[in-house]
Amino acid sequence: MRASAFLICFKGIATREVLRFFQQRERFLAALIRPLFWLLVFAAGFRAALGVSIIPPYETYITYEVYITPGLIGMIQLFNGMQSSLSMIYDREMGSMRVLMTSPMPRWFLLISKLLAGTAVSIIQVYVFLGIAFLFEIEAPAIGYLALLPVLVVTGLMLGALGMLLSATVRQLENFAGIMNFVIFPMFFLSSALYPLWKIGESSPLLRQICELNPFTYAVESIRFALYQQFNVTAFFVTAIAGVCFLLLAIKGYSPAKGMMQRKGPS
Amino acid sequence: MAGENSALEISSVSFAYTKTAKALDGVSFNVPRGRFTALLGPNGAGKSTLISLVTRLLGQTNGSICIDSRNIEKSPGDAMSRLGIVFQQPTLDLDLSVTQNLRYFAALHGMPGQLAEQRIDEELRRFNMLERRNEKVRRLNGGHRRRVEIARALLHQPAFLLLDEPSVGLDIPTREKIVEHVHTLSREKNIGVLWATHLIDEIRAEDDVVVLHQGKAIEKGPVPDILASTGFPTLGEAFNKLTGEAAP
């Protein structure tokens, strides 16, 4: 297969994902309203109750809205990954996933292309969210918005790969509600998205240890540091390694030998 | 029937979902280029399993499958680039236009933009769908969607066209038109066609037939040969005799 064919194929998959995203306006709105609600209602309410001391990467006292913003960026990417997972299960049940899987391109390439396209969509959502947050004076250093981009690619890929892995293991669309309960909420709440780990540790050392095992914590910290032009090596590499592991398992899950594209049973 | 002229060669393919029950048991047959072959079998005969193996949606466990002489396990990319497929379930993206759907498929085959546009025009013209190219698929009726799916399956000029019960849900005149069209395509473009169905009336006297029953290819060959070997005047009666089921 020629290199240009791979490029054409990737472009085709990315174009379709972006077209679908913009045609599903409700999805776009939901992706924005959810974190904005947290930022403008939840965080505003908790501002007085929760004080955040000076911790890296912050060099001064910050408001709770500023603290929570990286977690909400992670939330956007987490929900986007799960949304992609949902649409992959839906596409598989409706049949259109078969068109992708019967392409002559290697299956790993098709899955990675889909993942990259989904990540691009999540990054668009993040920057629109940051733009709205900026209007409410919740802002980061200007250069931080640029420094954030490569980190968003890695965190988006990790969370997208997690969604892809879940889609390879969930056999029916009806079971997706379970993902919401058992994956999204624990991942979000058992992380440093809403509270710093030291604060969680003050209340429960066990809870802090659980949070430290959660790859979403590292994604959020990567984002937090990048917004302030700092590079958190541990957070970045844990995120990247988790992403590679999820992706390899997802590729395995979609191999013909696993037969995920075929419902079990004779026909 | 075997050899270089085969669009599809299936040799001793078996498959089991569980250890106790085989969905396919030593199935072998060929689909020559330029011929229309009907894969006939009642529900549960193993047609969909066989199609999933040919399209690599399921992993093959034993036997071999070659598309246009390319083994699908050894050279999957090469083999799949010679396969055109129309699934039983509709697989078009309803929110995209006809052209957007076809462009997406062309991209999945690595087709450059200009060539893709040219082929899209050709195929839509062939199916009298050119004027509807910018319409969203959601607005098309079932027959038109099927036409678009067949046009899509031909974009990359496959050697072998596989259709899994493509007439399901269509009215009789539309069904007849599509059957006629695919017969013509097979002859004119020298494509080997495998048309999976459980409807006898979609098969013509000049077609080849493979009868699949309980996971085995119990009869195969041109319709007249099957009639001669079973001693029945119609394919429906022969099918009834072979499978013990009433012909649909």
Side-chain angles (χ1 to χ4, degrees):
Chain A
M1 200 66 72
R2 290 166 291 112
S4 61
F6 282 88
L7 193 64
I8 291 166
C9 180
F10 170 69
K11 206 173 133 193
I13 292 171
T15 305
R16 178 179 183 261
E17 290 295 315
V18 173
L19 276 173
R20 278 180 58 148
F21 176 72
F22 283 111
Q23 285 179 353
Q24 294 170 347
R25 288 190 191 90
E26 299 81 6
R27 185 180 154 192
F28 186 50
L29 282 176
L32 284 176
I33 286 171
R34 194 182 303 113
L36 284 172
F37 191 80
W38 277 86
L39 185 68
L40 303 175
V41 180
F42 176 86
F46 272 67
R47 175 191 268 196
L50 291 171
V52 179
S53 64
I54 300 171
I55 50 164
Y58 307 111
E59 290 167 351
T60 179
Y61 284 102
I62 49 161
T63 61
Y64 186 57
E65 286 96 324
V66 170
Y67 178 80
I68 204 179
T69 299
L72 297 180
I73 292 172
M75 179 202 242
I76 292 172
Q77 292 197 303
L78 176 64
F79 270 87
N80 188 73
M82 295 308 128
Q83 179 76 40
S84 298
S85 160
L86 174 67
S87 59
M88 280 179 89
I89 299 166
Y90 181 81
D91 282 354
R92 201 172 65 213
E93 293 212 349
M94 294 299 118
S96 54
M97 191 72 183
R98 291 171 179 219
V99 176
L100 180 74
M101 293 289 114
T102 51
S103 158
M105 299 294 173
R107 203 162 282 189
W108 61 262
F109 176 78
L110 298 168
L111 292 172
I112 290 174
S113 297
K114 201 164 166 58
L115 192 57
L116 283 167
T119 301
V121 166
S122 79
I123 291 174
I124 295 170
Q125 294 170 24
V126 166
Y127 277 104
V128 173
F129 166 74
L130 285 173
I132 298 172
F134 185 83
L135 296 177
F136 287 91
E137 297 178 351
I138 300 159
E139 51 193 82
I143 197 80
Y145 292 106
L146 197 62
L148 181 63
L149 183 60
V151 170
L152 286 180
V153 173
V154 175
T155 52
L157 286 174
M158 187 272 277
L159 295 168
L162 174 64
M164 193 172 272
L165 172 61
L166 291 170
S167 76
T169 52
V170 175
R171 288 207 171 265
Q172 288 177 320
L173 195 61
E174 295 78 24
N175 297 342
F176 192 74
I179 292 185
M180 291 291 286
N181 290 328
F182 294 109
V183 178
I184 293 183
F185 294 133
M187 268 192 105
F188 182 66
F189 288 111
L190 292 171
S191 76
S192 59
L194 297 178
Y195 324 101
L197 287 185
W198 68 265
K199 213 167 181 88
I200 296 172
E202 271 184 354
S203 309
S204 165
L206 176 65
L207 216 53
R208 179 182 178 144
Q209 284 172 356
I210 294 171
C211 293
E212 283 174 344
L213 292 173
N214 180 0
F216 186 69
T217 295
Y218 298 93
V220 170
E221 290 311 304
S222 297
I223 292 166
R224 191 185 309 285
F225 277 74
L227 262 177
Y228 291 85
Q229 305 147 67
Q230 292 180 43
F231 184 58
N232 186 327
V233 180
T234 309
F236 183 82
F237 282 104
V238 170
T239 307
I241 291 166
V244 170
C245 294
F246 293 149
L247 178 62
L248 291 176
L249 289 169
I251 290 171
K252 194 175 176 213
Y254 274 98
S255 73
K258 289 285 287 180
M260 268 314 292
M261 291 302 299
Q262 174 70 28
R263 286 182 205 177
K264 279 209 166 184
S267 45
Chain B
M1 279 163 74
E4 282 179 15
N5 198 30
S6 286
L8 175 72
E9 249 182 288
I10 293 183
S11 307
S12 309
V13 167
S14 298
F15 187 84
Y17 289 97
T18 61
K19 285 179 183 170
T20 48
K22 277 189 174 178
L24 291 175
D25 187 3
V27 173
S28 299
F29 66 89
N30 295 295
V31 176
R33 286 194 77 147
R35 297 282 298 167
F36 184 104
T37 302
L39 179 64
L40 190 60
N43 290 330
K47 297 192 297 290
S48 293
T49 302
L50 185 64
I51 288 165
S52 293
L53 288 170
V54 172
T55 53
R56 297 190 73 247
L57 296 176
L58 274 179
Q60 200 181 319
T61 47
N62 54 38
S64 78
I65 299 172
C66 293
I67 298 171
D68 200 24
S69 305
R70 276 82 174 171
N71 187 294
I72 65 164
E73 291 300 310
K74 292 175 186 160
S75 319
D78 216 4
M80 299 308 279
S81 69
R82 287 161 170 81
L83 165 72
I85 177 148
V86 178
F87 290 105
Q88 183 180 344
Q89 283 175 300
T91 55
L92 294 168
D93 197 323
L94 300 182
D95 293 320
L96 300 185
S97 71
V98 170
T99 308
Q100 284 169 337
N101 267 285
L102 297 186
R103 277 187 197 139
Y104 171 60
F105 181 83
L108 290 180
H109 280 257
M111 213 180 284
Q114 209 174 351
L115 178 64
E117 293 302 323
Q118 184 194 324
R119 297 261 179 88
I120 289 169
D121 274 6
E122 275 172 28
E123 294 305 332
L124 289 180
R125 189 171 291 116
R126 187 197 309 279
F127 285 90
N128 292 322
M129 292 293 294
L130 197 58
E131 71 281 6
R132 306 195 71 174
R133 58 180 300 158
N134 294 320
E135 279 186 42
K136 278 196 178 174
V137 170
R138 193 179 290 282
R139 294 184 60 190
L140 303 181
N141 64 29
H144 286 143
R145 288 181 193 183
R146 267 297 182 229
R147 286 198 222 175
V148 174
E149 288 192 304
I150 299 173
R152 181 179 65 179
L154 295 169
L155 277 184
H156 57 299
Q157 300 185 329
F160 171 55
L161 181 61
L162 173 58
L163 303 101
D164 183 10
E165 309 211 17
S167 57
V168 165
L170 301 181
D171 56 47
I172 292 172
T174 308
R175 196 151 67 88
E176 284 171 352
K177 269 186 207 163
I178 288 179
V179 171
E180 168 64 30
H181 203 91
V182 174
H183 274 89
T184 310
L185 274 173
S186 171
R187 280 193 310 271
E188 290 181 353
K189 299 188 80 147
N190 195 31
I191 298 173
V193 171
L194 184 64
W195 178 285
T197 186
H198 61 276
L199 301 173
I200 302 282
D201 63 355
E202 291 180 347
I203 302 166
R204 295 179 176 179
E206 69 271 21
D207 294 340
D208 293 331
V209 173
V210 175
V211 180
L212 204 59
H213 183 53
Q214 294 177 344
K216 293 182 180 176
I218 54 171
E219 194 67 71
K220 53 197 165 192
V223 172
D225 291 3
I226 291 178
L227 297 182
S229 70
T230 55
F232 285 94
T234 66
L235 192 58
E237 287 171 281
F239 178 79
N240 195 7
K241 165 75 177 170
L242 288 166
T243 63
E245 298 205 9

